[in-house]
Amino acid sequence: MKAEIDKIASLSDGELQKYLSSLTGDQLITEITNSALKGKKVGSLIKNIFKGSPPSSTDGSKRRLVVYQHCVPLCESGDLQTEVAADIIGLLMLETHTLSGPALAQVASLFVDAIKVGKMGSGKSLELFPTVLTALAACESLAYGKGELSGEEYKKQLINSLCSSRWDPQCVIHLTTVFRDVPLSSEELQFLVEKILRMFAKLDLQEIPPLVYQLLLLAAKGCKKQVLEGITGYFKEQDARQEEEQKRGESLDLEVQSVPQDQLRHVEGTVILHIVFAIRLDHELAREFLKSFKTSYGDLCPFSVALLLSVARIQRYEEQVFDLLKGAIIKSFKDEQLQQGSKLLQDLLPGHCSVDQMILDTVKNSVFGWDHVTQGLVQLGFFLLDAFGPKPGPFGKSSEGSATVARTPAQQACKLGGQVLLQGFKMHEPIRGEILEQVLNRLVTKTASPVNHYLDLFSDIVVSAPMILLESSSKVTETFDQLSYLPLATVQGLLKAVQPLLRVSMTLKDALILVLRKAMFSSQLDGRKSAVTGFLLLLKNFKVLGSLASSQCSQTISSSQIQVDVHSRYNSAANEAFCLEILSSLRRCLGQQADVRLMLYEGFYDVLRRNSQLASSIMQTLLSQLRRYYEPEQDLLPPVKLEPCITANGDRVYLQEPLAHLVSCTVHCLLWLQNMRKSANPTADDSGDEEEDEEEGYQSDLQTILDSMTRRMIKSELEDFELDKSAEFSLGSGVGVKNNIYAVLVIGVYEVLMEYNFIKAKYSKSRFEEIIELFSRYYKLSEILKEKSGKGRVSSNKTPRSLVSVGFISNLITVLFRDNTQSREEALSVLRLNGDFVRYVLSVVVQKIQQLEETGHTDGPDGQNADKIFRFLCDMTSVLMWRYTNIPGVVEEGGKKEKRSSLSQLCLEGLLRIFTTCQQRYPDKMAQLLSTMEDDVEQDDGSAAEMNYFYIRQFQRALLTQLSGAEEDFNSKEAQLLVSILTVLSRQLKPSSPQFVQMITWTVKICKETSFEDSAFCKGLLSLLFSLHVLYKSPVGLLLELCQDIHSQLGDIDQDVEVEKQSHFAIVNMRTATTAALLVLSQVDRVLDEVDWLIARKKNQPATDKLGSGEATQTAGQQDPVEKTVTLQLGTLLTALNELVQAALLPGTGTITLLRELSRTYTILTTLVKYYIQVCLNQHGALPTRFEKLVKLSGSHLTPQCYSFITYAQSGESSGGSADDKKKKRRNEVNTAASAKLLRDTKAIPNLIFSIEQYEKYLITLSKKSKVNLMQYMKLSTSRDFRINAATLDAALQEQDSQEPNESQDNEETPEPKQKKRKQ
């Protein structure tokens, strides 16, 4: 064999040709095969064969073809060494251009056939295929069937045949690689990409990343969007299947080949890396990728979110990606909110794609080694927290408490940011340090805006991973150094969050104490307050050995931390010295400003309750402080020294000692201690040790002081406190300020003594009489204060915050209203018969609940304990409900003559606030609250809905009682409160429940039958109706009826027109019509929002959805449900507005709001017209007949009326269609000049005219595109820069005996006011 090859190599050209001609094809093939298998000199053999086979001769050409036809399968067979096969293919590539057209066609067919039957497994010879195809395309003509084709066409046919056939999964990657080098037209490329994407499903998961890599290289030619969408779609499908399989769990069909989750995630991670690498090199690819998510977030999935976050690591796309994700998240939340608030949208589009869930899934998936995604997740989390965190309210105060449930889309987005970071912190070790650092940095730097969301996140991190956090304790220590410069709220939140760590870390605790000691001497008041906060928290949380068990209501801490708490060097015994040392530091605060002292007094009770061993120290401190201001001489009045309680600086007077709070703190601590001692040893034996004696000592001292104070405070007159009825209380002068401070201190002391004496009285009649004496003094002074502060220039409408505790007030109203014990009857009657006292108790209840609603806690003992507060709420609810339903309002007629709330009204106000607070602060406990209200309600199935509806029925009955009386007996405020309560309770009903339907039916009935002329009540009732109706069905029909009523009541803008009297809803009458109109317009705005949203959604639908199979027939026969809904909603809305625009509304906000809504209606009509223009361009179907009717309705009915209304609004006429005296009088009261100015400033009229003209402009375009004349319904408008007065014109024309009567007729067609008015 070797001799043969040497022989061939040694022959000259002529001899070589002769020798090769003498060999048969088989001999030649055998020679090549043998040489190739041995791997020796096969290259030189083939070179020589080519050399001796000139392409010009027929034999030579045939021989070359034989070589090609044999070498290609030989290389694919797998028998050759890789280098040998590569050499052969390299040589063949060099000679391809010499092959004739038919030979090229044969070689190409050889490849195509081999691919079809799956013989291209190794893909080694495929490198030759692009060269063959390129050479083929260059041929002029080739025989094809019975005719001829150009080379280019032939190549197209080949590619088409190849893409249409079945591919062996093994050769997909090789083929993708091959086609990178083949010149393809855009259609061929698209066909090819579709084929490759379809093959994804047939490939093994491990083969996907290399295929994606090749596909991305192929995408350099085009079809970028298609490639990216295909890859994303494939993984979206895989994720969905994975989720489905997880749900089905064990009950999987045996045939389903489940993919292991970790394998899928690792493949996804690799693919993401490939795509990001491709994007770095090809910015066009990035543009296509980002563009596909800009229009709609519906295409997002966990995989594409992860991909977006990885792309965000490329600096030039970072901002774009986060803006895009931010937009998608907020839009998703807004859409969800819109859908939840509308039955119409829920029925039309049941599903909702939840972006927040996708992002949380991405966080979960990133645990499988997606390091390239985690950095993006951290950035996204902080981006959301920064963008959507609570904004500073006026004067830098936070506008919302942190305890509220996330309700608005912004709050939900902020919460999502926190969840992403918290989950990320738990899962990924490398990013923990960064998350912690960024959270702490923001706590320190963002002093001007609220940082509740960062505090919540930090607190969650501490609770979920305390030991991990200790590894980064240096960062926390650095933050401590800034404590004295931070706002007080931040310091409180931070120290509360860090509490669990202090228990397990000595170094952290020591660092904090050092910082707090320094802060004690800070020049800033806030710094000193921070120190007090910190020390009090430490005292609460470090228990001293022997503290009472009942005081263990400390912050909840996970079990892992409690176990760590038992270090030998760090136990309860060691805590005692530490706590006493802190207490001595705190005593210094008693010489500081009132604010600092106040914090101390408010904190001592909680410290004592949690650390009862410190009682002696705390009580001694309070006793010595109280003695400073107590007058020991029993005969002297008053018993307190007010002079030392104030301090002066220049001509300003300040409070130095919050005396009432000091007394309050002392009383609560003393009562709690006595209570605890009683329950600890009910049988007091005589074995009293020193400690007992000491306790007895300060307890008896304090009791003596408090009893003496009570006795002497009752005897004291106002003059004893240097206060008098005629004294000055204005806050403008030093004397007035001093008197104000004195009065507030005295009022506070009276309140505290009332509470102390009530608890000590044990239902003794004489003690209760003392309480009433104290109250009468309190009442007298507070009335003077109210009266005087009302007259001053600076009015302080707020009564001072009551100092009684919420537990006491809850107990007191229960006793006052529900205690039927015979033995207490006589004593309680002392309190019950004093009407002012009962009113005071109820007003304090309302005040406490209001404070809870606004801040999430109340003053005084147990004010911060959420569970206890909820228990008090339950008690108060049950008493207020009993009081309101069991004692009729008639009994209190006396209270009506005076200008103040009746007791029933106060009860209702309390109930309303309780229900609102419970929905905001304890949303899950509403059923529990209602179930405790009545003991005798039978709870057969314990159904919360039934319970809720039981109370709704009670309040409905109460409202019906109000409405069934005469109008002069109607108590508007009480009725409004009842409606508000019904509104709150109805939110608890499920819209699908029968109770909800009954509630709607009842509300509609009340609106139809009540004719009281009370606009505030009407507003409440209609708001309730709308809020219910929108969850039941679309409110447009309701709006139409209301608009007809308003038109009927107010009369027409043209005085000559008699409006048909119709009344669907009696609640709409002369006095309430304007209020009803404003409410109707706000509801119109809401309907327009929904319509606008539906049109936008329809526009953004992918083209594939729009051009569905039956779309052409759909327009002819049945209309798309979304389009149908939009048209019907707008149709009814136009009819309603047509009624409203003819009503003689009063000049002012009503008119301007109507003009704005009309303007918006035309804008949305324009959007709909644009949508249909787009539809006409994409597919040539007829316009829906409903849409034509809508256009006709807008043109022939609404637009002319709009122009009449504009004229009416500009003329500011003061009389309408009806000539009622009452009506005229009310019209004349309105300041028309101010209304006209408002109209000019808001530019409502020009905006409306512009909207109408834009609408007509696009209608013309649509008419041309759809070949339907839509403009036949439109009339040319007459309201422009000048206006022709038809009557004057008529007269002038008759005088001249002119021949143009038509003009005047045209003018008369549009009814317009008969007076000239200059355009403004």
Side-chain angles (χ1 to χ4, degrees), residues 763-766 768-769 821-833:
Y763 299 97
S764 131
K765 186 179 177 187
S766 58
F768 276 9
E769 280 166 351
T821 318
Q822 200 65 43
S823 57
R824 300 173 179 176
E825 187 69 40
E826 192 185 355
L828 285 172
S829 64
V830 174
L831 302 181
R832 286 172 178 164
L833 292 173

Side-chain angles (χ1 to χ4, degrees), residues 22 118 174 609 826 1053:
S22 68
H174 303 307
R609 219 186 47 184
E826 192 185 355
I1053 50 176

Side-chain angles (χ1 to χ4, degrees), residues 1045-1240:
D1045 288 355
I1046 292 165
H1047 187 192
S1048 168
Q1049 289 295 335
L1050 290 177
D1052 200 89
I1053 50 176
D1054 185 347
Q1055 295 175 26
D1056 304 333
V1057 173
E1058 186 62 45
V1059 185
E1060 179 192 344
K1061 283 286 175 198
Q1062 48 185 341
S1063 178
H1064 302 93
F1065 293 93
I1067 194 77
V1068 179
N1069 48 49
M1070 260 321 302
R1071 197 178 280 277
T1072 61
T1074 310
T1075 308
L1078 282 168
L1079 276 171
V1080 164
L1081 287 170
S1082 71
Q1083 206 57 30
V1084 165
D1085 197 49
R1086 188 174 174 158
V1087 175
L1088 289 174
D1089 279 342
E1090 288 175 12
V1091 170
D1092 199 15
W1093 184 78
L1094 281 172
I1095 299 172
R1097 195 180 169 94
K1098 197 78 189 133
K1099 266 186 177 173
N1100 291 335
Q1101 251 182 8
T1104 48
D1105 294 5
K1106 278 185 192 167
L1107 305 172
S1109 52
E1111 189 73 26
T1113 55
Q1114 220 180 33
T1115 42
Q1118 176 200 359
Q1119 198 183 351
D1120 173 83
V1122 174
E1123 291 177 22
K1124 179 182 170 184
T1125 306
V1126 165
T1127 319
L1128 289 175
Q1129 291 284 95
L1130 281 173
T1132 318
L1133 212 53
L1134 290 184
T1135 318
L1137 287 170
N1138 181 44
E1139 285 286 341
L1140 203 53
V1141 87
Q1142 294 177 63
L1145 284 172
L1146 298 179
T1149 46
T1151 309
I1152 288 164
T1153 314
L1154 176 55
L1155 288 166
R1156 277 197 189 126
E1157 290 311 320
L1158 285 167
S1159 176
R1160 186 150 186 240
T1161 308
Y1162 279 107
T1163 308
I1164 286 169
L1165 281 170
T1166 311
T1167 315
L1168 186 61
V1169 170
K1170 286 180 184 171
Y1171 165 73
Y1172 278 115
I1173 291 173
Q1174 199 59 46
V1175 170
C1176 286
L1177 288 175
N1178 292 340
Q1179 55 189 77
H1180 304 291
L1183 287 176
T1185 46
R1186 275 198 188 90
F1187 175 69
E1188 285 188 45
K1189 282 180 186 169
L1190 181 70
V1191 172
K1192 181 179 180 181
L1193 186 65
S1194 68
S1196 58
H1197 288 67
L1198 190 59
T1199 311
Q1201 296 297 350
C1202 283
Y1203 284 119
S1204 305
F1205 186 74
I1206 288 171
T1207 311
Y1208 164 77
Q1210 284 179 326
S1211 64
E1213 279 188 296
S1214 58
S1215 56
S1218 153
D1220 237 285
D1221 284 346
K1222 193 169 167 188
K1223 191 167 167 183
K1224 275 188 177 174
K1225 188 179 168 193
R1226 286 191 69 226
R1227 287 265 170 89
N1228 293 335
E1229 282 170 12
V1230 177
N1231 185 343
T1232 46
S1235 301
K1237 184 178 187 304
L1238 191 62
L1239 200 59
R1240 277 200 302 276

Side-chain angles (χ1 to χ4, degrees), residues 565-632:
D565 204 7
V566 290
H567 287 314
S568 56
R569 62 177 178 145
Y570 201 67
N571 54 28
S572 297
N575 284 343
E576 184 163 14
F578 164 67
C579 288
L580 290 172
E581 186 189 345
I582 291 178
L583 269 176
S584 67
S585 292
L586 285 175
R587 280 197 196 102
R588 295 196 193 105
C589 299
L590 294 174
Q592 296 196 5
Q593 281 94 333
D595 283 4
V596 181
R597 299 184 193 193
L598 192 59
M599 289 192 73
L600 205 53
Y601 299 149
E602 284 177 348
F604 267 158
Y605 175 80
D606 276 345
V607 170
L608 182 66
R609 219 186 47 184
R610 295 176 183 190
N611 234 339
S612 57
Q613 277 303 93
L614 301 174
S616 171
S617 255
I618 290 175
M619 296 311 287
Q620 295 288 5
T621 307
L622 289 172
L623 182 58
S624 64
Q625 186 71 359
L626 187 57
R627 280 190 167 138
R628 290 187 190 180
Y629 306 99
Y630 171 67
E631 178 55 70

Side-chain angles (χ1 to χ4, degrees), residues 618-895:
I618 290 175
M619 296 311 287
Q620 295 288 5
T621 307
L622 289 172
L623 182 58
S624 64
Q625 186 71 359
L626 187 57
R627 280 190 167 138
R628 290 187 190 180
Y629 306 99
Y630 171 67
E631 178 55 70
E633 273 301 325
Q634 295 298 310
D635 302 333
L636 287 180
L637 294 180
V640 286
K641 304 171 188 170
L642 294 180
E643 197 71 35
C645 293
I646 57 169
T647 178
N649 184 358
D651 56 348
R652 304 290 301 276
V653 178
Y654 299 100
L655 174 66
Q656 176 74 18
E657 173 66 60
L659 180 63
H661 286 83
L662 169 61
V663 179
S664 169
C665 174
T666 313
V667 163
H668 288 131
C669 289
L670 179 66
L671 290 172
W672 185 83
L673 268 177
Q674 289 176 344
N675 232 1
M676 285 323 299
R677 293 286 174 238
K678 253 185 230 157
S679 53
N681 52 342
T683 55
D685 49 4
D686 298 317
S687 59
D689 51 14
E690 280 181 35
E691 193 181 322
E692 292 270 324
D693 291 345
E694 186 193 343
E695 260 183 44
E696 285 304 317
Y698 64 69
Q699 285 195 17
S700 61
D701 283 1
L702 278 172
Q703 266 178 303
T704 312
I705 288 176
L706 291 168
D707 290 341
S708 166
M709 272 174 82
T710 306
R711 195 169 40 75
R712 290 190 280 163
M713 285 296 277
I714 291 172
K715 288 182 186 171
S716 302
E717 293 296 329
L718 289 181
E719 288 75 10
D720 296 324
F721 299 107
E722 299 175 24
L723 296 169
D724 188 57
K725 270 188 182 176
S726 52
E728 187 186 350
F729 285 94
S730 75
L731 297 176
S733 68
V735 177
V737 170
K738 182 186 128 182
N739 287 342
N740 249 307
I741 292 174
Y742 277 8
V744 171
L745 288 178
V746 174
I747 280 176
V749 171
Y750 277 133
E751 279 198 306
V752 175
L753 290 175
M754 279 193 274
E755 179 169 351
Y756 171 73
N757 281 288
F758 179 83
I759 291 165
K760 281 290 180 190
K762 298 195 174 69
Y763 299 97
S764 131
K765 186 179 177 187
S766 58
R767 294 295 287 265
F768 276 9
E769 280 166 351
E770 285 181 7
I771 292 175
I772 291 296
E773 286 290 329
L774 284 168
F775 172 72
S776 62
R777 298 274 183 279
Y778 160 87
Y779 186 70
K780 189 176 174 187
L781 183 52
S782 65
E783 286 297 304
I784 291 173
L785 200 57
K786 267 185 210 165
E787 185 190 327
K788 295 283 184 180
S789 62
K791 287 179 185 169
R793 280 175 301 155
V794 186
S795 168
S796 61
N797 294 326
K798 277 195 169 179
T799 49
R801 234 185 227 163
S802 174
L803 285 183
V804 295
S805 65
V806 67
F808 162 68
I809 206 75
S810 161
N811 184 20
L812 184 56
I813 61 165
T814 312
V815 168
L816 275 179
F817 296 139
R818 301 293 311 261
D819 196 328
N820 299 322
T821 318
Q822 200 65 43
S823 57
R824 300 173 179 176
E825 187 69 40
E826 192 185 355
L828 285 172
S829 64
V830 174
L831 302 181
R832 286 172 178 164
L833 292 173
N834 188 318
D836 288 331
F837 182 71
V838 177
R839 173 182 303 283
Y840 155 76
V841 172
L842 282 173
S843 59
V844 172
V845 167
V846 173
Q847 190 194 66
K848 292 285 176 194
I849 300 164
Q850 185 175 358
Q851 190 190 355
L852 180 66
E853 185 184 352
E854 287 165 4
T855 60
H857 54 80
T858 63
D859 294 335
D862 299 323
Q864 306 275 355
N865 186 330
D867 292 337
K868 280 200 174 181
I869 288 281
F870 182 71
R871 217 169 313 135
F872 295 143
L873 275 187
C874 291
D875 297 343
M876 291 194 280
T877 312
S878 122
V879 175
L880 292 174
M881 188 70 196
W882 181 90
R883 169 71 184 67
Y884 181 70
T885 46
N886 289 26
I887 298 182
V890 187
V891 180
E892 311 166 7
E893 279 306 306

